[in-house]
Amino acid sequence: MASTFVKAGEVEVLHYWTSGGEAAAINILKQMVQDSGHTWKDFVVTGGSGVQARSELNHRVLLRNPPAATVLKGESIKRWARFNYLANLDDISKREDWDSKLPKVIADEMKLKGHYVATPVNVHRSNWMWVNKSILDAVGAKVPTTWAEFETVAKKIQKAGYPVIAAGNEPWQDATLFESVALAVGGTEFYLDAFVKHDTGVLRSKTMEKVFEQMGRLEPFLAPSKGSEAWDAATKQVINGEAAFQFMGDWAKGEFILANKQAGRDYICATTPGTEGSFIYVVDSFAMFKLEGESKIEAQLALASDVMSERFQIAFNKAKGSIPARTDLSLAGFDQCAQKSKKDFMAASENGKLLPSIAHGMATTEQVLDQFSPSVSKSWRNGTAASQAAADLSKAIRYGVYYLQ
């Protein structure tokens, strides 16, 4: 049900959800805010990675005019909280018992020193592979579960005259594929040592060289560019049968849903080769900035309550392609991809294979991310030798770690 607060006010929300599926999802929250008696004000910044949004947010905060809420992830939330810019949400979180509704790993992402400063919107999975079923059927192939199998299937698809991998050429998109390849090649411990601990020896290791070698074997299978860098343009290539695969988080599923495509019938969702049993997670969240004015604060609290409501968590995530952040909710009515995602999330939570995405800012700081994605993308797109690519990545991450703002 809609939240009931006293004073109607305006809530300004900074986000970068502009693709068809994302827009459909965010409209659900807009309607809920309006149903609560408040006014929604869009602060939209284009760019799927959120880099442009971060720049706009910094500018607004410097002007002492922050939005009520902004989409942030992982370490970015902690950073703003440490600077004392975020509102304390303990009263509403205790009243609505958020701790009992959220898994600890997500609740901890929303807090600084035990205090809630943000609300989780969803749980995305980064290590997904989206498959055009008709192309796979046309060549008589099965969904590949290893990279060796993938290369065999890719050659069959290519020989039959179909483009293989749809991919925009923005660095964050290349990094999304890279983190899954790294997990498949190196395993869980390697992933954590490289991308969470930033161990220089691991970053420059022979294993990391093998990751770049595997990336290099995928480059010849990239579909011809359609002149657009946008991730959703690449998704549409798979939807329209213009490419067989896309490696992208499950926000891509929102585009399939918008196109009235059905999982299992029109397309297949499968874990990225070599990563079955592991879950690279991305949690979209609304960080709540400190505001002045009773009506604005009331509207902000209503937004926080709406985001955590069953109505929103179910409806939004059905449209967005993700699963609810709340694990106490039934996924009856969600498709098979979401059902698998929830099952795998819970299993990975138990077996130590729940991993934060580095490509999407869950595993590291903004400064490291700013160095990581361009380094990966440049090496892959330029065909840099694996040993040099590993050395360049180590140097880039080290620069990000020691960068002073």
Side-chain angles (χ1 to χ4, degrees):
M1 66 186 284
S3 308
T4 54
F5 290 87
V6 183
K7 289 183 176 292
E10 180 183 84
V11 58
E12 184 182 21
V13 180
L14 190 162
H15 66 92
Y16 44 90
W17 291 333
T18 57
S19 77
E22 290 173 329
I26 196 66
N27 283 339
I28 293 167
L29 185 57
K30 291 181 185 180
Q31 186 60 53
M32 289 186 68
V33 167
Q34 292 167 4
D35 290 347
S36 298
H38 300 288
T39 302
W40 174 286
K41 182 179 180 181
D42 258 324
F43 182 5
V44 180
V45 182
T46 58
S49 68
V51 173
Q52 294 92 329
R54 192 198 330 161
S55 176
E56 290 292 332
L57 176 62
N58 290 344
H59 178 66
R60 285 284 299 273
V61 172
L62 286 174
L63 292 176
R64 297 184 180 180
N65 182 31
T70 186
V71 175
L72 289 179
K73 302 185 186 83
E75 286 299 314
S76 295
I77 297 172
K78 300 285 197 294
R79 173 176 174 267
W80 285 110
R82 282 194 294 268
F83 290 156
N84 200 32
Y85 283 109
L86 300 187
N88 186 311
L89 303 176
D90 284 352
D91 285 348
I92 189 170
S93 65
K94 290 175 182 176
R95 184 164 68 245
E96 298 183 356
D97 198 14
W98 293 0
D99 277 344
S100 71
K101 298 171 181 177
L102 297 172
K104 187 175 185 301
V105 66
I106 294 179
D108 288 348
E109 295 280 1
M110 302 301 109
K111 299 176 181 178
L112 181 71
K113 297 180 180 179
H115 302 291
Y116 276 98
V117 293
T119 54
V121 174
N122 56 21
V123 177
H124 277 300
R125 186 182 201 173
S126 170
N127 57 317
W128 276 117
M129 176 173 68
W130 305 95
V131 189
N132 181 290
K133 189 174 183 297
S134 63
I135 293 178
L136 209 63
D137 290 345
V139 301
K142 295 181 179 179
V143 176
T145 60
T146 67
W147 284 114
E149 289 178 4
F150 180 87
E151 290 175 41
T152 298
V153 171
K155 289 173 183 176
K156 288 184 69 174
I157 291 171
Q158 212 169 44
K159 187 175 181 180
Y162 297 101
V164 182
I165 302 173
N169 59 0
E170 294 171 307
W172 72 266
Q173 295 184 58
D174 294 344
T176 299
L177 172 58
F178 182 84
E179 68 181 6
S180 288
V181 172
L183 175 60
V185 171
T188 301
E189 186 176 350
F190 169 81
Y191 182 99
L192 293 171
D193 287 344
F195 302 145
V196 178
K197 299 178 183 177
H198 304 319
D199 185 301
T200 300
V202 174
L203 289 167
R204 298 180 68 104
S205 68
K206 292 295 183 183
T207 302
M208 187 62 77
E209 291 180 21
K210 290 178 181 178
V211 175
F212 278 104
E213 287 168 359
Q214 179 59 65
M215 288 288 289
R217 289 195 291 273
L218 298 179
E219 197 276 337
F221 298 120
L222 289 175
S225 172
K226 288 291 182 179
S228 173
E229 296 180 341
W231 67 267
D232 53 315
T235 306
K236 288 180 176 65
Q237 286 182 267
V238 178
I239 291 172
N240 297 331
E242 298 169 349
F245 301 97
Q246 183 188 23
F247 300 100
M248 186 55 59
D250 46 18
W251 46 91
K253 193 179 68 173
E255 303 307 304
F256 284 96
I257 293 170
L258 198 66
N260 295 315
K261 301 299 182 181
Q262 183 176 317
R265 183 192 69 190
D266 305 304
Y267 68 96
I268 299 168
C269 53
T271 50
T272 305
T275 68
E276 182 64 33
S278 297
F279 194 111
I280 302 179
Y281 68 89
V282 184
V283 179
D284 286 324
S285 316
F286 283 119
M288 303 293 174
F289 279 76
K290 288 183 176 180
L291 301 175
E292 294 182 359
E294 188 177 354
S295 64
K296 287 186 177 181
I297 294 171
E298 288 283 350
Q300 183 185 61
L301 292 175
L303 175 68
S305 181
D306 286 340
V307 167
M308 282 295 293
S309 70
E310 179 175 357
R311 174 188 167 194
F312 172 78
Q313 291 273 326
I314 295 294
F316 178 89
N317 285 292
K318 278 186 177 179
K320 186 86 160 47
S322 43
I323 58 174
R326 285 178 53 176
T327 51
D328 63 323
L329 302 179
S330 168
L331 263 60
F334 280 75
D335 63 24
Q336 61 186 250
C337 303
Q339 299 285 351
K340 176 175 173 54
S341 191
K342 174 70 175 289
K343 179 182 176 182
D344 289 354
F345 177 86
M346 300 305 291
S349 299
E350 295 294 325
N351 65 22
K353 293 189 176 182
L354 188 63
L355 306 168
S357 167
I358 183 171
H360 297 276
M362 299 301 299
T364 191
T365 65
E366 294 173 349
Q367 289 70 38
V368 170
L369 183 59
D370 286 344
Q371 302 300 317
F372 169 79
S373 296
S375 179
V376 165
S377 184
K378 181 180 178 181
S379 292
W380 186 39
R381 298 283 177 166
N382 292 345
T384 304
S387 58
Q388 185 61 53
D392 289 345
L393 179 60
S394 176
K395 182 180 179 180
I397 288 181
R398 190 166 64 251
Y399 181 87
V401 168
Y402 291 110
Y403 178 80
L404 296 178
Q405 300 183 57

